[in-house]
Structures are given as C-alpha cells and as structure tokens.
Amino acid sequence: MGTRAKPERTRSLKPVYWVADSRRVLQSFPEEVKDEIGTALLWAQMGGLHPAAKPLRGFGDAQVIEIVDDYDRDTYRAVYTVRIANAVYVLHAFQKKSKHRGETPKHDIELIRQRLKRITQEIT
C-alpha cells in the first residue's frame, strides 16, 4: 500500500481503467471536484495515497480506496482499487446523498463489491 507522502514523479505511472459508468459519472462532477479526484488518482498511479483518499471500510484490506471531496455543501466520492494487476481500477463515482455522516450508502457498497468481483474474475 502506498504512503500518504507525496509520490515521486520519477516512478512510472500505473494505467487507469474505468469500470462501467465511473468515468462518465466523474465527468459530470463540478470542475473543482474533478480536479481533486484526478489529482488523487494521479497519486495512486504513482503509488501514493492522496490526503483526500482513505481505505474504504468493509473490504478487508487497504487496497479499496475512497476519495472524498466536499464542494458547495455536497459530497462527491470516487472508489478505486490497486489490488489487481499493478493498475488503478476506478470502480465507482457518485455524489453522496445519504444524510448519515460519513457512511457510504449500502447500495453503493454493494455496487462496488459487484464491480470488484467482476474485474477480479476477468483479470485472474
């Protein structure tokens, strides 16, 4: 797992793969949010962990990561994994609408699980 330290620019970049509609959804976010999530994904490509990123609870390891960005009283999230094939797979992007502070809605967790299982089966 990467560190919170800023990654070195000399490392080669891991490729990014977008699962299902994650890229299209991310492109619909406000520019400031896209910039923050894009920067966090770049850090992941270089093996680092951006300050806006943290392991997503309930996945048993620190290789399913959630990027959280608050903007204009809304919360936007993108979830990726570095668990597979030395790459970054963006599993899901969404605007959090739940009123439960900090808790990822169950339907989003289930969608992330399904997508992770699917790509794991396809790659291995």
Side-chain angles (χ1 to χ4, degrees):
M1 184 62 221
T3 64
R4 288 228 183 253
K6 194 168 187 178
E8 298 175 25
R9 291 180 186 255
T10 57
R11 293 185 184 179
S12 61
L13 295 179
K14 296 176 185 177
V16 173
Y17 298 103
W18 301 88
V19 179
D21 66 349
S22 57
R23 186 174 193 168
R24 181 185 56 77
V25 172
L26 180 64
Q27 288 174 334
S28 73
F29 291 172
E31 288 301 318
E32 292 83 351
V33 174
K34 290 190 284 191
D35 289 347
E36 182 75 5
I37 291 173
T39 299
L41 289 173
L42 178 61
W43 280 41
Q45 286 182 273
M46 293 188 285
L49 186 64
H50 189 270
K54 63 181 181 180
L56 184 59
R57 288 185 294 180
F59 285 86
D61 61 23
Q63 293 181 321
V64 176
I65 308 296
E66 178 178 48
I67 305 164
V68 179
D69 191 31
D70 293 321
Y71 176 77
D72 195 26
R73 298 187 321 211
D74 289 319
T75 300
Y76 297 85
R77 296 183 179 194
V79 177
Y80 68 89
T81 187
V82 292
R83 183 185 289 179
I84 303 163
N86 201 30
V88 177
Y89 285 83
V90 182
L91 301 169
H92 189 35
F94 61 102
Q95 181 180 353
K96 183 176 177 284
K97 295 182 172 139
S98 171
K99 302 301 179 202
H100 302 311
R101 197 135 172 80
E103 189 175 312
T104 303
K106 288 183 184 357
H107 70 274
D108 288 304
I109 292 291
E110 184 56 34
L111 183 63
I112 293 163
R113 282 189 198 289
Q114 290 171 1
R115 290 178 177 179
L116 182 61
K117 181 179 179 180
R118 187 182 83 210
I119 64 168
T120 301
Q121 290 172 343
E122 289 175 4
I123 300 303
T124 56

